[in-house]
Amino acid sequence: MSFSHSVKKELCSVITDKDRKYCCLYGMLLFCRNFSPDQIVFQTENGQVSEFFCRLADDVLVGKNIVSVTKNEKKSGGALYSLSIPSEHFREEIIYRYRISSRTLIHRIQEDIIGNNSVYAFIAGAFLSCGSVTEPIKEYHLEFAVPYYELAQDLTKLLVSVGINAKYTERKNMYVIYLKGSEAIEDLLTLMGATMSSIDLMNVKIYKDVRNKANRIANCDSANIERTLRASDKQIADIEYISDTIGLENLPEDLINIAELRMEFPEMSLRELGEALDKPLGRSGANHRLKRISEIAEKLREERNSNEQDG
C-alpha cells in the first residue's frame, strides 16, 4: 500500500461526526473534476475512499444508495472507481445546500459553510478528492491538483490561514498547490486527522537522517565534511539574503527546488543534493545551480551597496 493510499484510508476512518462529515463531503464534491447540474462524477483509485464517499452522501443527504458506483479494472493492476449521483433531485440538493452557483457553477469555497470546527475536515475532503503525497522515503512532497483557478486560489489562502505555507504552480492545465519539507506535511496530516500517517512520516525522516549520517561517516573524511559544511554555510547565507530581499519565489523553479533542499539539509554533499531533486542531477549540475544562486545574491548585494552610496 502506498503512503498516499494509507493517508486516505486513515482519513476515511477518523471523520465520524455529523458536522465533519458534512464539510468533508463538501470538500470532496467541490474539488472533483466533473461537477455540473447535469452530472456529478467523483473518481478515485482507492477502494476505501469510494466506500467513504457513498456513506457520506447517504448520511448527509439522508438517503439510501444515492451514489452509483462503476469499477474499472486497470491493466497495470488496481481499479478506477467512478461514482456518480444519477438523481437530479439529489444533485439539486447538493447545489442548494453548499450554495454552489447552479448553471454557471462558480467553484468557490464558502468559508461560512465550513465553520471553524470543521475546516480541517473540509481540507481532508479536498485531499481525498484531488490530493496526493509522495513516498517519504523518496522525497517530501504533498499536493492538491485543482481543476479550477479561483478554487485553487481559495484553497491556497485557506491553507495559509491555518498556518500551512502552501505554494502554487500550474501543470498540464491543472492548478497545483503543493507543500515541500517534512515538517509542513507532518503538520497538515495532523491537522486533517491523519496522525498515525504523520508519525510514520516522522519515523521515516529519523531513519533517513540516521542512514545519511552513517553514509557520510563511511564515505567522507573529516576534511571533506568540514569543506562541505563551509560551502553549505555560504550557500545558505546567499539563499537567506535572496529570501529577505526579493523572495525565493521569484527565482526560477529549478533554483527554488535546490535552494529549499539546501536549507533543509545543510549537511548534504553536492552529489546528495543533486540526487534528492525531483529530476536528479549529478554533482556538477547541483554545483552549477548553486553557483547561479550565489551570482544572483552577489548581484543583489552590489545593487544594494550602490543604492546606499548614491543615497
Side-chain angles (χ1 to χ4, degrees):
M1 182 186 298
S2 71
F3 185 65
S4 192
H5 190 103
S6 178
V7 169
K8 292 184 177 183
K9 179 180 179 181
E10 184 177 5
L11 290 175
C12 292
S13 70
V14 299
I15 297 172
T16 54
D17 70 72
K18 182 178 179 181
D19 289 342
R20 297 186 74 213
K21 284 181 179 180
Y22 183 82
C23 287
C24 185
L25 180 62
Y26 180 34
M28 295 178 81
L29 288 166
L30 193 60
F31 285 84
C32 72
R33 299 188 187 186
N34 194 341
F35 190 161
S36 73
D38 301 318
Q39 187 178 48
I40 295 176
V41 180
F42 177 89
Q43 291 187 320
T44 180
E45 295 180 3
N46 189 311
Q48 283 86 5
V49 174
S50 172
E51 294 173 4
F52 182 59
F53 182 85
C54 293
R55 292 199 305 273
L56 284 186
D58 286 352
D59 290 347
V60 172
L61 301 175
V62 192
K64 189 173 181 180
N65 298 323
I66 290 172
V67 179
S68 174
V69 182
T70 302
K71 179 180 178 182
N72 295 311
E73 301 291 342
K74 301 176 70 175
K75 292 182 180 179
S76 57
L80 177 65
Y81 300 87
S82 295
L83 299 96
S84 62
I85 299 178
S87 166
E88 182 180 358
H89 165 74
F90 283 119
R91 291 197 303 271
E92 290 179 349
E93 179 72 10
I94 287 168
I95 289 170
Y96 172 75
R97 284 200 184 197
Y98 292 124
R99 298 210 309 273
I100 301 168
S101 298
S102 180
R103 286 294 155 186
T104 54
L105 273 179
I106 301 173
H107 290 71
R108 302 299 300 267
I109 296 175
Q110 305 290 342
E111 293 191 22
D112 59 318
I113 290 179
I114 301 169
N116 294 331
N117 296 329
S118 300
V119 61
Y120 303 122
F122 171 79
I123 296 172
F127 182 79
L128 291 170
S129 185
C130 67
S132 63
V133 57
T134 305
E135 297 294 328
I137 196 67
K138 297 179 180 178
E139 65 170 330
Y140 304 120
H141 182 93
L142 182 149
E143 70 177 39
F144 299 81
V146 183
Y148 307 103
Y149 173 76
E150 290 181 328
L151 186 58
Q153 299 301 309
D154 286 354
L155 179 59
T156 303
K157 292 176 183 177
L158 182 63
L159 289 170
V160 170
S161 74
V162 297
I164 301 298
N165 185 23
K167 300 182 179 179
Y168 169 84
T169 189
E170 295 183 22
R171 184 200 308 145
K172 296 180 180 178
N173 298 320
M174 297 296 289
Y175 307 97
V176 180
I177 297 103
Y178 67 95
L179 310 180
K180 290 279 192 182
S182 59
E183 291 185 3
I185 296 173
E186 288 165 13
D187 288 345
L188 182 59
L189 292 178
T190 301
L191 290 173
M192 290 192 298
T195 52
M196 294 307 300
S197 296
S198 181
I199 292 171
D200 289 342
L201 192 151
M202 293 177 196
N203 288 335
V204 170
K205 182 180 178 181
I206 292 169
Y207 166 76
K208 288 170 70 174
D209 287 345
V210 171
R211 183 191 64 185
N212 290 338
K213 288 177 182 177
N215 288 339
R216 284 192 296 276
I217 291 171
N219 298 324
C220 301
D221 58 30
S222 59
N224 285 338
I225 293 175
E226 186 177 348
R227 187 162 51 248
T228 297
L229 291 176
R230 281 201 306 268
S232 175
D233 288 343
K234 173 63 169 60
Q235 292 155 3
I236 289 173
D238 289 336
I239 293 166
E240 289 177 341
Y241 187 82
I242 294 171
S243 179
D244 292 339
T245 52
I246 63 171
L248 291 182
E249 66 274 10
N250 290 306
L251 291 176
E253 188 170 350
D254 60 337
L255 299 188
I256 293 175
N257 290 340
I258 200 164
E260 291 174 339
L261 275 175
R262 173 49 84 204
M263 293 292 287
E264 185 171 359
F265 303 107
E267 74 284 358
M268 270 191 177
S269 68
L270 291 173
R271 176 182 58 79
E272 291 170 329
L273 271 181
E275 290 174 351
L277 291 168
D278 294 342
K279 295 181 180 179
L281 292 174
R283 181 185 183 281
S284 61
N287 187 47
H288 176 69
R289 290 189 182 181
L290 288 168
K291 280 187 175 180
R292 286 168 60 195
I293 289 174
S294 178
E295 290 168 358
I296 292 170
E298 287 303 315
K299 185 176 180 181
L300 289 171
R301 291 187 182 101
E302 291 171 3
E303 290 174 355
R304 182 172 183 175
N305 290 337
S306 176
N307 290 337
E308 289 176 350
Q309 290 173 3
D310 291 341

